[in-house]
Amino acid sequence: MKINGKDARALWFEKGAIKFIDQRKLPYKLEYYIAKNVDECAFAIKDMVVRGAPAIGATAVYGMVLGINDVKKTVETLRKTRPTAYDLFYAIDYMKEKIKDGVDPLKAANNYVEDIIDRCRKIGEHGAPLIKDGMKILTHCNAGALATVDWGTALAPFRIAHKIGKKFFVFADETRPRCQGLLTDWELEQEGIPHAVIADNAAGYFMKNGEIDLVITGADRIAKNGDFANKIGTYEKAVLARENDIPFYVAAPVSTFDKSIKSGDEIIIEERGREELAVVNNYKIMPEYTKIRNPAFDITPHKYVKGYITERGVFEKPSF
Amino acid sequence: MKINGKDARALWFEKGAIKFIDQRKLPYKLEYYIAKNVDECAFAIKDMVVRGAPAIGATAVYGMVLGINDVKKTVETLRKTRPTAYDLFYAIDYMKEKIKDGVDPLKAANNYVEDIIDRCRKIGEHGAPLIKDGMKILTHCNAGALATVDWGTALAPFRIAHKIGKKFFVFADETRPRCQGLLTDWELEQEGIPHAVIADNAAGYFMKNGEIDLVITGADRIAKNGDFANKIGTYEKAVLARENDIPFYVAAPVSTFDKSIKSGDEIIIEERGREELAVVNNYKIMPEYTKIRNPAFDITPHKYVKGYITERGVFEKPSF
C-alpha cells in the first residue's frame, strides 16, 4: 500500500519487536505501536491496534517469535485474544509446527507474512476482472491493506483494477460502531481511487436506486458450506444486495476457510462493550444512561454470496 | 410525554412565540429554542431544532400565526424548508383555508395541534394490541413525542402498551447520520420502557437471531399505493424484516398519506450536507478530505409493509 506516496505495510518485525500502524489512531493521526513482548502483542490484537483476520494472523506469527521461550504460554495468551478470527488459530498452529520442525521462528514468521501478501495480491488479480469500467461498488468495513499487511482482500481487486486503468467508484460504508469505513476511506484516498463514505443506513438506498453494481467484502471466518462471519452489518448488505439483484462477493485467502465447521451456526459471535458504540475517537457521543447491545460480527448465509474471491481463483462455492 | 416525571410537549405557542425543545441539543442537554418570527420558525425546521413530520406540521401552523401579516410570503418561506415533509404542506393549506374563512389564526393553530396529539394517542390505542407480552420490538429513527408534539407515532403504541402493564423490550436503531435513535432512547428512558440502542448494522443480526418479533417505524410521507418515505435506513430494515418473516408496521396519522402521488417513485429525496455524517454533536469524527453522499430519506415499497397504524385503525393497505 501507499502512505504519502511511499510503499508501506500495516505491520512488520524490526529489532526484536513488532511495529504496527496504530489503527486506533487512524484516520486522524498516523502513529505507530510497538509490541516488545507477548502481552503487548496480545494487547494489540485485543484493543484493535491491529484488526482484520489476515493481519491478526501476521501479528500472531510474530507474537510466537516474541514468545519463543515459553511456547505453551504464548499460545494460550494469543488464542484468547479474538475468538472470531480463524486466521489467529491457523497462524498459531503453523508456527507450532515450524517450531517443532526446528525452522528458525523469525524466518518461518516472515515466510508466513510474505505468503499472506502474495495471496492478497493474487486475490486482487482474480477479483479485478469482476470490476468493469463505470461500475459503482460497495464495500463494508475495512478489508484493506491495514487488515492484511498489504494489498487487502476486498480492496485488492480495487487496487489491481485501478493500477491497470479501470474507472470505477467505491462506496465505503461508515461501518459503525468502530467506523472502519474511515480506514477504507483513508486507504482509497492514499491510492487515488474515487470514492465516498456513506452511512450504513444508506447502502440499501443506493442499491435500490441502481447506483451500486457490485458488492465486495472481506470475511473473518468462512464455514465449509460458505456461510461466513464478518463485521456486523455485512449480513444486512448481503440481504439487500440479493433483494436488488446485485452480485455479492466475499474476498478472502484460503486460510479464512475453516473446514472444521459445517455452517455459520457453529461460529460464536462476540458481543463487545458499550464504549465501542458510545465513544468515537475518545469522544462520548452517547449519554451515560444509554444501554447498548453490541454484537461485533454477524453471520451471512452462503445463499447470499455470488462467489468467493481467493488466491486460487473465484469460486461459486468453497469447493477447493 | 414525561420529562423528569412531569407532563411536557415538544413545542407550544406562548406569548407570541413558538417554544421548542431544542432537538439539536438532546439528549445531551435539555434546552429550549424560541421562534419570534417566520424566519426563526423556518430556521427551526431547516436546522432541525424540530423534526418529524407531525411536529413540523405543528410548527408550520404556528409559523402561519407568526406571519399572519403577510400570508403569501409566510407560505413561500415555510414551504421551502423541508420538501419531503408532506405534513408541512398539509398544515399550511389548512391554515390558509382557516384564515380565508375568518377563523382566529391562533385558535385554528391550537386546534390543529390538539388534533395531532389526539390522533397520535389513537394511533397508540390502535397499535398497542399488536404488542404482546415478552415481545422484542425494533424501531428506527425517532417517531416519538419529540416528532409529533406528544405521544409519537411509532412510539405511541409503546406508551399505551406500557401504561396498561405489558412487558416488552425495544431495540432503538442508532439511526446515523443524525443519531435520532438517541432521542428515542431519551424518550423511552423518561417513560421507563426497557430498551437498548444498537448500531444500525446490528438490526439484521438481531432479526436473524430471532430476537426481534415486530418492527414499527414512522413515516414522513405515504403515497397512494402505500410506498412511504422515511428516515434513511428504513428501507433496509423493512427488507430485512420481510427476509426474516417479521411483521413491519408503519405508524402515521392520516395526514401523512398523500393521495396526490401514486407511488414512492414520485417522492423527491433530499441529499443533505456532509457535516451531518462527519460531525456528531459539534465534534468532527471524519477527516476534512472525506467525501460523503448523504441521502436523508429513502422510499420503502408497500410490499414490505404488513400494516399501517393510523388514528382510524390498522389497515393492510391505505384504503381509507
Side-chain angles (χ1 to χ4, degrees), chain B residues 12-20 34-38 40-41 62-68 106 110:
Chain B
W12 67 97
F13 198 87
E14 188 184 319
K15 294 177 190 165
I18 316 173
K19 294 202 173 173
F20 301 88
I34 299 172
K36 295 189 206 75
N37 55 51
V38 176
E40 286 171 358
C41 174
Y62 287 136
M64 292 288 280
V65 175
L66 293 177
I68 194 70
L106 182 56
N110 278 333

Side-chain angles (χ1 to χ4, degrees), chain A residues 8-310:
Chain A
R9 287 185 174 185
L11 66 100
W12 65 97
F13 199 86
E14 188 185 319
K15 294 178 191 165
I18 316 173
K19 295 201 173 174
F20 301 88
I21 293 177
D22 190 339
Q23 300 190 37
R24 298 168 306 176
K25 304 291 171 66
L26 281 182
Y28 315 103
K29 284 183 221 161
L30 181 61
E31 288 183 11
Y32 296 89
Y33 174 88
I34 299 172
K36 295 190 207 73
N37 55 52
V38 175
D39 286 341
E40 286 170 359
C41 173
F43 174 84
I45 299 173
K46 265 194 228 168
D47 208 54
M48 298 181 76
V49 170
V50 60
R51 35 153 293 288
I56 288 172
T59 304
V61 292
Y62 287 137
M64 293 288 280
V65 175
L66 292 177
I68 194 70
N69 292 330
D70 188 346
V71 171
K72 201 179 156 212
K73 196 179 160 208
T74 301
V75 169
E76 268 173 30
T77 304
L78 294 175
R79 283 183 75 92
K80 278 188 295 193
T81 52
R82 287 293 291 276
T84 319
Y86 178 62
D87 282 38
L88 177 68
F89 307 112
Y90 186 93
I92 291 169
D93 290 346
Y94 163 89
M95 284 299 287
K96 276 167 74 179
E97 195 165 315
K98 293 295 172 191
I99 292 163
K100 209 172 68 186
D101 291 349
V103 181
D104 173 67
L106 183 55
K107 199 183 161 197
N110 278 333
N111 284 346
Y112 181 93
V113 173
E114 293 306 322
D115 187 56
I116 286 177
I117 293 170
D118 191 53
R119 285 168 197 267
C120 287
R121 188 181 42 75
K122 283 180 184 149
I123 287 170
E125 287 164 1
H126 289 300
L130 298 170
I131 298 171
K132 314 288 180 204
D133 265 325
M135 268 192 174
K136 291 183 177 176
I137 307 157
L138 176 72
T139 190
H140 190 71
C141 196
N142 173 261
L146 291 167
T148 64
V149 189
D150 203 356
W151 291 100
T153 52
L155 298 195
F158 299 165
R159 284 191 159 91
I160 300 284
H162 181 65
K163 212 174 171 180
I164 60 179
K166 288 191 186 175
K167 304 291 175 206
F168 57 96
F169 187 90
V170 179
F171 285 103
D173 279 340
E174 178 185 28
T175 318
R176 289 279 289 148
R178 292 189 81 101
C179 303
Q180 289 100 335
L182 297 182
L183 300 178
T184 296
D185 178 38
W186 182 80
E187 287 197 33
L188 295 175
E189 190 73 18
Q190 294 283 350
E191 304 282 331
I193 297 172
H195 68 284
V197 173
I198 59 173
D200 301 297
N201 278 325
Y205 169 87
F206 288 113
M207 288 189 198
K208 181 162 160 287
N209 278 16
E211 291 199 59
I212 292 175
D213 305 297
L214 180 67
V215 185
I216 308 179
T217 74
D220 282 74
R221 196 171 179 188
I222 306 173
K224 201 174 176 185
N225 71 344
D227 297 353
F228 71 103
N230 195 43
K231 178 55 53 187
I232 190 73
T234 304
Y235 165 69
E236 292 197 352
K237 309 319 156 195
V239 169
L240 286 154
R242 203 184 59 164
E243 188 74 6
N244 289 285
D245 291 322
I246 298 163
F248 183 103
Y249 286 89
V250 177
V254 168
S255 60
T256 311
F257 291 81
D258 180 357
K259 290 184 177 167
S260 77
I261 50 171
K262 277 188 200 157
S263 81
D265 298 342
E266 295 176 49
I267 301 175
I268 298 155
I269 298 296
E270 310 170 50
E271 285 208 24
R272 296 175 67 96
R274 80 182 287 286
E275 300 307 307
E276 248 188 22
L277 196 64
V279 180
V280 176
N281 193 25
N282 295 320
Y283 181 81
K284 286 184 192 177
I285 65 161
M286 296 188 186
E288 293 298 328
Y289 61 75
T290 301
K291 288 169 204 76
I292 280 166
R293 290 278 309 270
N294 181 26
F297 298 90
D298 57 25
I299 307 294
T300 301
H302 62 90
K303 68 176 174 182
Y304 299 105
V305 181
K306 170 84 174 165
Y308 301 85
I309 309 169
T310 76

Side-chain angles (χ1 to χ4, degrees), chain B residues 40-296:
Chain B
E40 286 171 358
C41 174
F43 175 84
I45 299 173
K46 265 194 230 167
D47 208 55
M48 299 180 75
V49 170
V50 60
R51 34 153 295 287
I56 288 172
T59 304
V61 292
Y62 287 136
M64 292 288 280
V65 175
L66 293 177
I68 194 70
N69 293 331
D70 188 345
V71 171
K72 200 178 156 211
K73 197 180 159 209
T74 301
V75 169
E76 269 173 32
T77 304
L78 293 176
R79 282 183 76 93
K80 278 188 294 194
T81 51
R82 287 292 292 276
T84 319
Y86 178 62
D87 282 38
L88 177 69
F89 308 112
Y90 186 95
I92 292 168
D93 290 346
Y94 163 90
M95 284 300 286
K96 276 167 73 178
E97 195 163 315
K98 293 296 172 189
I99 292 163
K100 209 172 67 186
D101 291 349
V103 180
D104 173 66
L106 182 56
K107 198 181 163 199
N110 278 333
N111 284 346
Y112 181 93
V113 174
E114 292 306 322
D115 187 56
I116 286 177
I117 293 170
D118 191 53
R119 285 167 197 268
C120 286
R121 188 181 44 74
K122 284 181 185 147
I123 287 171
E125 287 164 1
H126 289 300
L130 298 170
I131 298 172
K132 314 288 179 202
D133 265 324
M135 268 192 173
K136 290 182 175 175
I137 307 157
L138 177 72
T139 189
H140 189 72
C141 198
N142 173 261
L146 290 168
T148 64
V149 188
D150 202 357
W151 292 99
T153 53
L155 298 195
F158 299 165
R159 284 191 159 90
I160 300 284
H162 180 66
K163 213 174 170 178
I164 59 178
K166 288 192 187 177
K167 304 292 176 207
F168 56 96
F169 187 90
V170 179
F171 285 103
D173 279 340
E174 178 185 28
T175 317
R176 289 279 289 149
R178 291 189 81 100
C179 303
Q180 289 101 335
L182 298 182
L183 300 179
T184 295
D185 178 40
W186 182 81
E187 287 197 34
L188 295 175
E189 190 73 19
Q190 293 283 349
E191 303 283 331
I193 297 173
H195 68 284
V197 173
I198 59 172
D200 302 297
N201 278 326
Y205 169 87
F206 288 113
M207 288 188 198
K208 182 163 160 286
N209 278 17
E211 292 199 58
I212 292 175
D213 306 296
L214 181 66
V215 185
I216 307 179
T217 74
D220 281 76
R221 197 170 178 187
I222 306 173
K224 201 174 176 184
N225 71 344
D227 297 352
F228 70 104
N230 195 45
K231 176 57 53 186
I232 191 74
T234 304
Y235 165 69
E236 292 197 351
K237 308 320 156 194
V239 169
L240 286 154
R242 203 184 58 164
E243 188 75 3
N244 289 284
D245 290 322
I246 298 163
F248 183 103
Y249 285 90
V250 177
V254 168
S255 61
T256 311
F257 292 80
D258 181 356
K259 290 186 177 165
S260 77
I261 50 170
K262 276 188 199 157
S263 81
D265 299 341
E266 294 176 50
I267 301 175
I268 298 156
I269 299 296
E270 311 170 47
E271 285 208 25
R272 296 176 67 96
R274 80 182 288 285
E275 300 307 306
E276 248 188 22
L277 197 64
V279 180
V280 176
N281 193 25
N282 295 319
Y283 181 81
K284 286 184 191 176
I285 66 161
M286 295 188 187
E288 293 298 329
Y289 62 75
T290 301
K291 288 170 204 77
I292 279 165
R293 290 280 307 271
N294 181 26

